[in-house]
Amino acid sequence: RDLGTTVREEPPPRTMTSTSGKTTPLCVAAAVGAGVAVTAAALRYLKKKREAVEAASVTPLDLRLGLTKPLAETAATKPVRWAFLGAGRVAHDFANAMKAIPEGAELYCVAVRSAKDLERCKAFAAAHGFQKAYGSYAEALADPLVDVAYLSAMHSSRVEHVNAILDAGKHALVEK
């Protein structure tokens, strides 16, 4: 026996054989299985949400549920009222761009995350000609005159805010 060399056995291949005889690496099989599980969970969530929405008196304009519908009146008969969720630099740039639209869009209200920033929100509203300023996103989304919400908030809370917009039955434009 030669003690200078080490004999190393190779581990068995990590594969899975299907009923059809096809061999697949386990990592691929696990990824596919996980994808199927995630997809099934998402479909269960959407089915539950759709049932809740159908039972409610207000139908949100939620693209995820296939319930998005056109605005009741077209832009030709009334302007689309915009709510800005966030009053930072990016929102400032977008508000300036919106002012260039000759008709069909109205800068209606602006909201900040908390009431402590309400003064900054009011200054933003005055600078860009918004009719209202709110101290929370929820207040703006509860306003029945809002048609579209423009979200320019931090990305760390984006999913939560987009869900709130869609749950409120508003169209959404999300920045970044």
Side-chain angles (χ1 to χ4, degrees), residues 6 12 21 49 51 54 58 68 73 77 86 89 121 130 139 147 150 157 164 174:
T6 305
K49 181 127 175 142
E51 290 168 355
E54 289 171 352
V58 176
T68 304
E73 299 175 63
T77 58
R89 181 184 50 81
C121 183
F130 285 88
E139 288 178 275
D147 297 313
Y150 166 72
S157 302
V174 182

Side-chain angles (χ1 to χ4, degrees), residues 82 94 148-152 165 171-175:
W82 287 77
F94 191 71
V148 181
Y150 166 72
L151 179 64
S152 66
I165 293 168
H171 291 276
L173 174 61
V174 182
E175 191 67 66

Side-chain angles (χ1 to χ4, degrees), residues 18-19 22 26 37 41 48 56 59 73 76 88 96 98 113 125 130 140 149 152 154 166 172:
S18 68
T19 55
K22 184 177 178 182
L26 283 178
K48 185 177 177 182
T59 302
E73 299 175 63
N96 284 333
M98 291 286 292
R113 282 189 298 168
F130 285 88
S152 66
M154 296 297 293
L166 297 176

Side-chain angles (χ1 to χ4, degrees), residues 118-136:
L118 185 56
E119 290 307 313
R120 181 173 59 87
C121 183
K122 287 179 180 178
F124 183 92
H128 294 289
F130 285 88
Q131 295 176 26
K132 295 184 176 186
Y134 291 112
S136 74

